Amino acid sequence: MDSYNAPESTPSASSRPEDYFIGATPLQKRLESVRKHSSFIPTPPRRKIPQCSQLQEDVDPQKVAFLLHKQWTLYSLTPLYKFSYSNLKEYSRLLNAFIVAEKQKGLAVEVGEDFNIKVIFSTLLGMKGAQRDPEAFLVQILSKSQLPSENRQGKVLWTGWFCCIFGDSLLETVSEDFTCLPLFLANGAESNTAIIGTWFQKTFDCYFSPLAINAFNLSWMAAMWTACKMDHYVATTEFLWSVPCSPQSLDISFAIHPEDAKALWDSVHKTPGEVTQEEVDLFMDCLYSHFHRHFKIHLSATRLVRVSTSVASAHTDGKIKILCHKYLIGVLAYLTELAIFQIE
Amino acid sequence: MSVLRPLDKLPGLNTATILLVGTEDALLQQLADSMLKEDCASELKVHLAKSLPLPSSVNRPRIDLIVFVVNLHSKYSLQNTEESLRHVDASFFLGKVCFLATGAGRESHCSIHRHTVVKLAHTYQSPLLYCDLEVEGFRATMAQRLVRVLQICAGHVPGVSALNLLSLLKSSEGPSLEDL
């Protein structure tokens, strides 16, 4: 690891930080970006392009259909060290052995569980935003079928997949040995997630942390997903707020017809192709004032906990369910951004 | 009287009055209690208000420092603060107003982006303090700090005025080209 190079230019009144970093190492670039984030000067309102991009053409919707309509728990993952896509069979074998060993140690909870499991690593082609993004891969735990017939595929016990969609800000700052797949989604028993997490952490020197989504980001998601053009709506648009009060917190749920929500968004939306902070605030304020007019409750004083639209639904604890394959990449892009933000 | 002015009343002898404005009653009450526990040479008076304008029927002393408490978990408190700011005279912002953002510790509960509050404080040229008022230790430290600032604003510290303090508290990084 090369040492920190002294900056070339002498510190003068008008020196800008960018001048120091021509030909900087990734670490220096990283430090610079961290410094920029914590600058005192407020940055201009965040502008985001709504994802409405189509799924990559080479992905077969049938192949990714199993990703939809399932509840995934989100984690953010630091870059994996010396991970190689050609060793997937090897990894399957090692992870299989590890899981069996862990379960026999008695660390897993369920007693009398079937230990005949099979672990499969596979790549998910096309689950990426830009060409630079590393390939997504999938880990599945299947129960080995008791019947000797070859065709019978075991039942899937646990699924987890790693992906990176438009992860440029992270990709620029890491060196060659690392594979950046900051978003991890898991479905299945929590004990399995823990065991697999431990194995990855030991093998690739990475770190998992649960990705919570705060109310601010949930309202962005609500606005972006309402903005998506859909041919037909499969679910009502629903919000859930948690009111902090003692002894037990109160939950307020507000359901809107999706076409009404879209009409509201269209009246608020000004800049084509982009979603701005003001539009999101205005959209949510319209809902709040409508609710206040009828019920005299200030929803803005409560905490948004769950947002559910026809595109996807998200819960503040880091749970997500994607319903529409057309906007799958867009949803994942935003989640990747949140994951990268959490890592940094 | 719908607008608060800093110099429209005569000061009380050896008294310093602070006005805490915010929607979170419990937090304001706790902060007020912490401040009153502090050792202070001057007599402290703490007034609490949910929002401005203050009712004009009450006879109150001259207010030396206004602290707007914004809870980052609730957009309502930000909107309330913005509404109340309209009822404060411009000359108050020469060091006698301060913003306090609470709740930044629990990132998962935040509804307001930190930059919104930073921009608000920047627009009003007033210092922004962060403190998790729910935590006893932080609250006590912040109470101490506010008492010192209050003493300066009331003119009880010789040689330092509110405007002096304001220019000292301003960040050493000047506004860059991207700003506003």
Side-chain angles (χ1 to χ4, degrees), chain A residues 53 56 126-134 164-168 329 333:
Chain A
S53 59
Q56 298 266 4
M127 294 297 297
K128 46 158 81 169
Q131 279 307 107
R132 279 185 69 177
D133 291 332
C164 174
I165 315 280
F166 294 116
D168 290 336
I329 295 288

Side-chain angles (χ1 to χ4, degrees), chain A residues 30 77-81 170 174 178-182 204-207 343:
Chain A
R30 204 50 193 280
L77 178 61
T78 58
L80 301 164
Y81 183 62
L170 191 61
V174 299
F178 288 92
T179 311
C180 284
L181 291 162
F204 301 111
D205 194 23
C206 58
Y207 185 69
I343 298 173

